[in-house]
Each structure stands twice: as structure tokens, then as C-alpha cells.
């Protein structure tokens, strides 16, 4: 073994105590909440070796810049800036996978989650009595008093649905506040959906009862600064997630949304066909061609808005994407007709042959759109 020279030994940095906890905070337009949250964590986590990882989706308000500036003063702070991607679930997954500590917590930036519970949550995990600790609004001592009537109703409905359909035992599977053993999370990560808002539900459902879970009550507060990112799309993402998990991941959330958009396309097609035929009195062949073009365009717009909203095409890329989508769907139509014809030739009833063709078309369009139109950068 070679001895280090005294000069080198003197400059050697003392190893810092091993990290116990990584706090992952997804952010989108939360610049004014970054430092207040950090100060609250500092006050709550005395005696614990911790770090905080803000995962920002290139917020237009420059949240990532505020995080970087804080990180230059505070070594506990880390920043992941994601470009060309959007989505709460994906941000949380990336943050946990980047964590250095054996335990990772996820909490919102806007101070709605109670950071004073983190110590208790960590103690439960460190003692080995749980793999997952959920900050829960729906166990005794917890509350969601800041919810208005409508949001309370939606939250209760979604919670009941998830618990009944997916047989999830957790009282608050929609919570955005939880702490998990990182090794267990890494086992589940490849099966998690990066889309959507409900990462905890995905984790619990994917774990299929294998995660020993404890719930800790907390009161969901009011947002400090900034605006809510909850919108009606969150409900659709949620239903897609429940269906995906119910089908044992045979159907992905994205495929469900793609197929849903495709079914609206059938409606758009027939509506346009009717209007061009009956109102504009055009020949059938022209009317059918116009209807197909309108349906493909509406499918493209909806998919860009909904199915691929985490990778939404913008500016000139929309035009390029639309042309590629026409091409993909054109070949998809050939595949559809080819398969339907082959099945029909086997003397199988017309509607089964038609369904086989349609299924082939959807699967083809989905696979090729993912590869060529909304390909990951
Ligand atoms: N990185 C990233 N973070 C997000 C995204 N959408 C939301 N967030 C963050 O996720 C957390 C939860 O979002 P909120 O808008 O607070 O949702 P909520 O708490 O259910 O709704 P409010 O009660 O209205 O605040 C916040 O810290 C957001 O900044 C996203 O697309 N990407
Ligand atoms: Mg919030």
C-alpha cells in the first residue's frame, strides 16, 4: 500500500456523515416557495443528515435558477433541471433515483405538507418496521381542511375507486407526501408510469401488497405562493392509471389515452362524413377522404394535448409531427384493412374480422407514433 504524502493528507476532505434522508421536491413555477421550504426543512430536520433535491421541469418562472442559487450557498441543496419533459410522477421518480440516502421522501414545494412529520416517518423506516410511510389526511388525526367542497368530493371519490378497484389498503393512496426505502423503490421503478399526478398510488398498486406500509396523520395546509397545477387532465390520468394497474400493466396509461382519443376520432370521422355528404352535397369518395383527414388531424391535436402532454410538440415541430402522424396513420390503415381481410378470408364473422383490423390499426398507430411522432428527446 502506498502512503499518502503529508501535503495530500492535509488537504483531504473529512468524510461527511452518511446521508440518512433525501427529500425530493417536484417543482413547476414555485420560485417563491423554494427558500421558505428549505428553511422549514432545516428547522425540522436537526440531528438528521439530509439533502433536498428539487426536480424542476424548466419552469418559465425560473424556479431552477432560484434552486441553483440556493445550492451555491447551501451544500444540502441539489437541482435537477429537466428540459423537454413535464409531469409530476416522472419528476418524483427521477428525483428518488438520483437520491443518495437510503430513504427518500417526496413532498410538494408549496408548504402544504407538514415537514415536522418527516422525523417520525424516518424513524419508522430506520427501525425496519416499514418499507413505506404515507403522510395521510384520512387517518385519525389527519385532515384536508383546506379543500373546498368540490375538491373534497373528488378526492373522496377517487380514493374509494382506487381502494375498491385496485384493492389498495392505504387510507390515503392519493397523498403526495410519503417516504420510502430507496432500494424497494428502485425495484419497482421500471414498472412505474412517468405520466400522471398520482405516484404514490402507482407505487402501492405496483408493489401488490409487498410494501409494509404505515400511515402517519398530517393536516393538508393551504398553498403558500404560486398557482395550483391541478387540472381536469389529472382526473383522466388518474382513471388511466387505475385501468392500467387493473389490467396488470397489459395496458399502459398512454395506450389507454391513445385508444380513447382514437375512439373520439371515429365519432369525428362520421360527423364530418355526414356534414360533407349531406350539407355540402359532395360525392362519397371525396367526403370519405375529407372525413379521414379531419379525424386524423383531431386525433393528432388531442394526442398532443393529452396522451403526450409530457412531451408536447410546440411551434414548428407541430407541423412536422402532424405530417408524420398522417403517414403513420396511412400505413396503419393499410395494416388494418390487410389484417381484417386475412381474418375475413378464414371465414370468420365480419365484425370479428373488422375488430381485428381496428385493433391492428390502433396498435400500429400507437407504436409508430411513439417511435416517430412523439419520440423521446
Ligand atoms: N417537476 C414538476 N413538478 C410539478 C408538475 N406539476 C406539479 N408539480 C409540482 O408538484 C407539486 C404538487 O402540485 P400542486 O399544484 O401543488 O398540486 P396540489 O397540491 O394537489 O394542488 P393545490 O392544493 O392546488 O396546490 C408542487 O410542488 C408542484 O410544483 C410538473 O409537471 N413537473
Ligand atoms: Mg399543492
Amino acid at each position: 500500500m502506498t502512503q499518502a504524502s503529508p501535503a495530500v493528507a492535509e488537504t483531504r476532505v473529512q468524510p461527511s456523515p452518511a446521508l440518512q434522508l433525501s427529500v425530493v421536491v417536484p417543482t413547476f413555477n414555485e420560485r417563491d416557495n423554494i427558500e421558505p421550504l428549505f428553511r422549514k426543512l432545516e428547522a425540522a430536520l436537526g440531528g438528521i443528515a439530509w439533502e433536498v433535491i428539487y426536480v424542476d421541469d424548466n419552469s418559465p418562472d425560473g424556479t431552477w435558477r432560484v434552486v441553483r442559487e440556493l445550492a451555491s450557498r447551501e451544500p444540502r441543496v441539489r437541482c435537477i433541471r429537466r428540459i423537454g419533459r413535464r409531469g409530476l410522477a416522472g419528476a418524483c421518480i427521477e428525483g428518488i433515483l438520483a437520491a443518495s440516502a437510503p430513504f427518500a421522501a417526496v413532498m410538494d414545494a408549496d408548504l402544504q405538507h407538514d415537514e415536522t412529520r418527516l422525523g417520525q416517518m424516518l424513524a419508522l423506516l430506520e427501525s425496519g418496521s416499514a418499507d413505506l410511510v404515507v403522510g395521510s389526511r384520512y387517518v385519525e388525526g389527519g385532515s384536508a381542511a383546506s379543500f373546498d367542497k368540490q375538491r373534497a368530493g373528488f378526492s373522496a371519490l377517487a380514493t374509494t375507486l382506487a381502494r375498491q378497484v385496485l384493492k389498495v389498503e392505504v387510507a390515503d393512496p392519493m397523498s403526495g407526501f410519503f417516504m420510502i426505502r430507496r432500494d424497494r423503490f428502485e425495484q419497482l421503478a421500471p414498472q412505474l408510469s412517468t405520466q400522471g399526478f398520482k405516484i404514490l398510488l402507482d407505487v402501492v398498486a405496483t408493489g401488490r401488497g409487498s410494501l409494509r406500509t404505515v400511515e402517519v396523520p398530517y393536516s393538508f395546509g393551504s398553498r403558500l405562493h404560486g398557482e395550483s397545477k391541478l387540472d381536469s387532465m389529472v382526473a383522466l390520468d388518474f382513471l388511466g392509471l387505475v385501468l392500467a394497474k387493473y389490467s396488470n400493466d397489459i395496458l399502459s396509461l398512454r395506450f389507454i389515452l391513445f385508444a380513447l382519443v382514437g375512439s373520439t376520432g371515429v365519432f369525428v370521422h362520421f360527423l364530418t362524413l355526414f356534414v360533407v355528404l349531406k350539407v355540402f352535397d359532395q360525392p362519397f369518395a371525396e367526403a370519405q377522404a375529407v372525413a379521414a383527414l379531419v379525424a386524423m388531424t383531431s386525433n393528432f391535436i388531442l394526442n398532443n394535448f393529452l396522451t403526450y402532454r409530457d412531451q408536447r410538440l410546440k411551434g414548428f415541430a407541430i407541423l412536422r409531427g402532424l405530417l408524420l402522424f398522417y403517414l403513420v396513420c396511412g400505413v396503419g390503415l393499410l395494416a388494418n384493412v390487410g389484417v381484417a381481410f386475412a381474418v375475413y378470408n378464414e371465414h370468420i364473422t365480419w365484425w370479428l374480422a373488422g375488430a381485428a383490423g381496428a385493433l391492428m390499426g390502433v396498435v400500429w398507430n400507437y407504436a409508430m407514433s411513439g417511435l416517430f411522432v412523439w419520440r423521446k428527446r
Side-chain angles (χ1 to χ4, degrees):
M1 218 171 86
T2 49
Q3 289 270 305
S5 72
V8 173
E10 267 165 33
T11 55
R12 197 171 278 163
V13 178
Q14 281 298 310
S16 52
L19 274 181
Q20 290 168 276
L21 174 66
S22 298
V23 182
V24 173
V25 183
T27 59
F28 194 76
N29 286 346
E30 303 281 4
R31 55 173 300 151
D32 296 331
N33 291 323
I34 299 302
E35 183 135 4
L37 175 65
F38 178 73
R39 297 297 161 212
K40 287 211 168 226
L41 288 173
E42 250 185 342
L45 296 175
I48 294 172
W50 60 280
E51 64 173 353
V52 56
I53 305 172
Y54 293 93
V55 188
D56 187 63
D57 286 355
N58 206 26
S59 297
D61 78 347
T63 300
W64 52 274
R65 227 178 264 121
V66 177
V67 176
R68 289 228 194 284
E69 195 279 321
L70 182 63
S72 68
R73 289 181 278 128
E74 302 286 353
R76 289 183 191 284
V77 177
R78 291 171 59 195
C79 174
I80 297 178
R81 177 186 174 196
R82 307 198 308 163
I83 294 180
R85 276 172 295 166
R86 263 305 299 274
L88 176 54
C92 295
I93 293 170
E94 238 167 270
I96 299 176
L97 293 180
S100 311
F103 304 105
V106 170
M107 66 188 297
D108 289 359
D110 54 12
L111 306 189
Q112 287 179 299
H113 295 153
D114 183 356
E115 72 290 342
T116 64
R117 299 282 171 186
L118 289 169
Q120 182 192 1
M121 292 162 89
L122 181 64
L124 281 162
L125 290 179
E126 283 188 327
S127 72
S129 54
D131 303 317
L132 169 69
V133 183
V134 176
S136 179
R137 299 159 294 187
Y138 303 138
V139 291
E140 208 182 325
S143 77
S146 63
F147 279 1
D148 59 23
K149 244 188 165 166
Q150 192 192 20
R151 188 160 171 196
F154 275 127
S155 179
L157 185 73
T159 303
T160 310
L161 188 75
R163 283 167 50 91
Q164 297 286 329
V165 177
L166 301 179
K167 306 281 176 257
V168 162
E169 308 249 311
V170 180
D172 191 0
M174 308 301 186
S175 176
F177 184 32
F178 62 92
M179 196 184 287
I180 189 166
R181 280 173 59 143
R182 193 166 48 82
D183 56 351
R184 297 307 317 277
F185 183 85
E186 288 195 28
Q187 287 165 351
L188 302 175
Q191 288 150 267
L192 299 177
S193 166
T194 53
Q195 254 184 312
F197 227 68
K198 300 300 170 194
I199 171 83
L200 177 63
L201 175 63
D202 198 0
V203 166
V204 174
T206 304
R208 301 196 187 286
S210 69
L211 293 169
R212 291 166 306 144
T213 305
V214 175
E215 291 186 74
V216 167
Y218 85 98
S219 297
F220 190 76
S222 302
R223 166 174 267 289
L224 182 66
H225 297 292
E227 283 173 16
S228 174
K229 280 99 217 165
L230 257 188
D231 58 20
S232 46
M233 298 303 155
V234 170
L236 211 68
D237 276 345
F238 164 72
L239 288 177
L241 179 64
V242 171
L243 270 174
K245 290 295 148 188
Y246 187 68
S247 73
N248 272 338
D249 287 317
I250 294 170
L251 302 171
S252 71
L253 169 56
R254 216 187 280 286
F255 181 75
I256 291 167
L257 292 176
F258 193 86
L260 212 71
V261 167
S263 53
T264 68
V266 175
F267 175 76
V268 171
H269 184 102
F270 280 102
L271 187 71
T272 315
L273 187 61
F274 177 81
V275 170
V276 179
L277 270 180
K278 302 290 176 196
V279 181
F280 293 99
D281 211 13
Q282 295 297 311
F284 182 80
E286 276 87 338
Q288 174 72 355
V290 170
L293 209 66
V294 171
M296 281 192 290
T297 311
S298 109
N299 279 3
F300 173 79
I301 294 169
L302 282 176
N303 277 323
N304 197 39
F305 187 68
L306 201 74
T307 318
Y308 289 95
R309 74 189 165 117
D310 53 332
Q311 291 161 236
R312 196 173 283 165
L313 301 175
K314 290 181 186 145
F316 184 68
I318 295 184
L319 193 67
R320 187 176 172 276
L322 181 62
L323 293 177
L324 279 170
F325 191 70
Y326 286 152
L327 203 70
V328 162
C329 293
V331 180
L333 187 66
L334 289 180
N336 175 338
V337 174
V339 166
F341 207 66
V343 174
Y344 190 68
N345 270 348
E346 295 296 313
H347 303 289
I348 291 171
T349 170
W350 65 269
W351 61 266
L352 254 180
L359 186 67
M360 178 66 212
V362 174
V363 171
W364 167 275
N365 288 352
Y366 175 68
M368 294 304 131
S369 295
L371 270 182
F372 296 112
V373 185
W374 288 278
R375 64 169 184 266
K376 276 220 153 73
R377 275 186 274 170

